[in-house]
Amino acid sequence: MSFQHIIGNEKIKDLLTTTLSHQCVLHSYMFVGPDGIGKFLFAKEFAKSILCSSTSHTEACDSCKSCISFLSDNHPDFLVIDSEDGKSIKIEQIRYLQEKISEKPITSSQKVYIINNSDLMTREAQNCLLKTLEEPPIYAIIILILSNENKLLNTIKSRCTKVSFQPLTNEEMIKYFHTINPEYQLTQSILDVCQGSIGKALKVQNEFELYKQVDTILENMEKEDIVDVWNSSEVLYKNKDNIYDLLEYMNVILVTKLTKSNLIKYANCITSVETIKSRLLTNANYDMSIDYLLMNMWEELNEKNSRN
Ligand SMILES: [Zn+2]
C-alpha cells in the first residue's frame, strides 16, 4: 500500500509526500472531510511513512522493521484512539494517549497518534488533549480525523494544521468500483447516492442487488396495474435494516426524473418518501408505512399520468 493505491484526493497525496520528502512533518494535523472518503487510510499511510526507517523519505518502504510491525498492527510507536461505544471519546482515553506519548519512541525516531472520529471527543477530553497539543514531545505527531469541525474547540483547531479532504469525483468512484468488481454496471443514480464516498460505495456494493430491485419498483410504479408494484416491492418489506438507504436511493431516482421532466408528480413522490422516513423514525408500524408509501406514490404517478 502506498498513497498511489488510495483513490482520490490527489492534491493531498502531493502535499503529504512533499511534507515527507522535505522532512517538515508538523506536530498536529486535522484531517477534515465527509465520512468514507479515505481520511483514515491517508492518515495511516502518512503515519507508516513517518515511522519508516528506510532512507527514502517520500513513502514507506513496506519492508523495514518499522513497516513490517506497522503492517502487522503491532507498531509500538503508533496508536489509534477511537470511540469505544460509537458515541464519544472520553477523557480516560485521552489520558491513556498522554501516558503513552510521554514514553520515548522504541522502534522509530518518532511516534504517531491518530484520534479517529475526534469530533466525538467530550469537552473534558478536548480540554485534556489541549495540554498535549500545546506542548507536544519533540518526537510526537498527532492526527485528528473528523467530519464535523464545529464540534471541536477553537483552541484545539487553532493548534492543528488543517487538511481538507474532498469527496471523490464520479470518475474516481467508477475507478474504485471497477477495482473491486469489474462486472459492476454503475448507474448515475448509484453514483448520486454515494456522493463521492467510498464508505458509502462499499455499503452499496453489498446492497447492489437491492438497489436494482428499487429500480424495478419505480419502473412498475409508472404502470397502471398496481399488482406489478406489489409483486416487486418485497425488497422494501424485507429490508428494514437498510430501509433508509433504499428510500434515499429512491429519492435520488425521483430527483433525476423531476429534473428531467419538471413534473410535479415526482416532487410529490419525494415528499411522500421523506414523510415515510420521518414516520419510521417515530416507530410507526413498518409494513403499514411501506403500504402507505407505495399506494400513495402509485396513485400520484398514475393519477397525474391520466390527467396529462
Ligand atoms: Zn519502511
Side-chain angles (χ1 to χ4, degrees):
M1 190 75 170
S2 73
F3 287 117
Q4 297 321 313
H5 290 97
I6 308 176
I7 295 175
N9 283 291
E10 298 301 323
K11 283 184 185 160
I12 295 177
K13 283 177 199 168
D14 291 345
L15 170 80
L16 298 182
T17 44
T18 308
T19 303
L20 288 161
S21 63
H22 288 80
Q23 297 185 48
C24 55
V25 178
L26 302 168
H27 281 296
S28 39
Y29 290 90
M30 261 184 357
F31 284 10
V32 186
D35 287 334
I37 57 169
K39 301 186 297 294
F40 188 69
L41 273 182
F42 267 91
K44 271 190 89 174
E45 191 57 40
F46 190 42
K48 175 153 63 83
S49 306
I50 292 167
L51 299 172
C52 172
S53 46
S54 84
T55 46
S56 148
H57 293 295
T58 49
E59 291 233 24
C61 71
D62 282 358
S63 57
C64 69
K65 193 180 165 199
S66 168
C67 285
I68 288 167
S69 57
F70 191 98
L71 289 167
S72 60
D73 286 330
N74 210 11
H75 201 295
D77 303 321
F78 174 68
L79 182 70
V80 177
I81 300 277
D82 204 342
S83 170
E84 286 165 1
D85 57 7
K87 292 176 190 154
S88 64
I89 294 176
K90 300 185 171 62
I91 189 166
E92 293 75 25
Q93 293 177 268
I94 302 301
R95 286 200 181 117
Y96 176 72
L97 178 153
Q98 287 171 328
E99 191 189 310
K100 289 282 154 196
I101 215 168
S102 63
E103 299 162 3
K104 292 218 159 56
I106 298 171
T107 306
S108 305
S109 55
Q110 287 171 297
K111 295 182 95 168
V112 184
Y113 290 83
I114 293 178
I115 306 180
N116 198 24
N117 297 307
S118 55
D119 39 7
L120 293 180
M121 280 189 289
T122 62
R123 201 179 171 83
E124 294 73 32
Q126 293 192 41
N127 276 319
C128 181
L129 178 68
L130 195 56
K131 290 174 210 149
T132 309
L133 293 177
E134 279 167 350
E135 288 176 31
I138 186 103
Y139 49 77
I141 292 136
I142 299 174
I143 305 170
L144 308 183
I145 299 181
L146 61 146
S147 55
N148 187 352
E149 243 184 289
N150 295 332
K151 292 198 176 165
L152 281 195
L153 297 174
N154 285 335
T155 42
I156 297 262
K157 287 191 268 188
S158 66
R159 281 176 174 80
C160 298
T161 300
K162 180 176 167 183
V163 182
S164 295
F165 285 72
Q166 300 303 320
L168 274 66
T169 62
N170 280 352
E171 290 69 33
E172 288 164 345
M173 292 295 285
I174 289 166
K175 189 175 164 193
Y176 176 77
F177 266 92
H178 192 78
T179 314
I180 55 172
N181 184 353
E183 302 290 306
Y184 265 168
Q185 290 179 343
L186 259 190
T187 62
Q188 187 59 44
S189 306
I190 298 262
L191 285 170
D192 290 347
V193 91
C194 290
Q195 293 181 327
S197 159
I198 292 237
K200 188 90 186 175
L202 284 169
K203 218 169 162 220
V204 168
Q205 181 197 7
N206 296 327
E207 296 173 355
F208 195 65
E209 285 306 315
L210 306 182
Y211 284 83
K212 285 208 303 209
Q213 291 176 52
V214 173
D215 285 334
T216 311
I217 300 174
L218 284 164
E219 278 163 28
N220 288 336
M221 277 283 175
E222 311 237 20
K223 294 179 187 168
E224 275 184 34
D225 193 351
I226 195 168
V227 175
D228 287 336
V229 175
W230 296 127
N231 287 345
S232 57
S233 298
E234 204 182 25
V235 60
L236 299 181
Y237 292 96
K238 288 200 164 169
N239 286 283
K240 201 170 172 178
D241 290 346
N242 302 327
I243 193 66
Y244 290 101
D245 290 340
L246 298 178
L247 293 179
E248 201 182 314
Y249 178 68
M250 200 176 252
N251 263 353
V252 164
I253 300 176
L254 290 166
V255 168
T256 311
K257 285 176 185 275
L258 175 65
T259 317
K260 281 186 187 160
S261 66
N262 220 6
L263 291 171
I264 189 76
K265 61 182 183 178
Y266 294 118
N268 291 340
C269 286
I270 293 168
T271 311
S272 296
V273 174
E274 288 306 323
T275 307
I276 292 305
K277 276 162 84 179
S278 358
R279 275 200 193 186
L280 292 175
L281 280 175
T282 57
N283 291 325
N285 180 287
Y286 184 80
D287 285 0
M288 276 170 68
S289 302
I290 302 295
D291 288 347
Y292 178 82
L293 172 70
L294 295 173
M295 197 65 202
N296 229 8
M297 283 176 66
W298 179 80
E299 277 176 4
E300 182 62 45
L301 294 174
N302 287 282
E303 209 177 298
K304 297 282 176 187
N305 271 347
S306 56
R307 272 188 217 160
N308 288 342

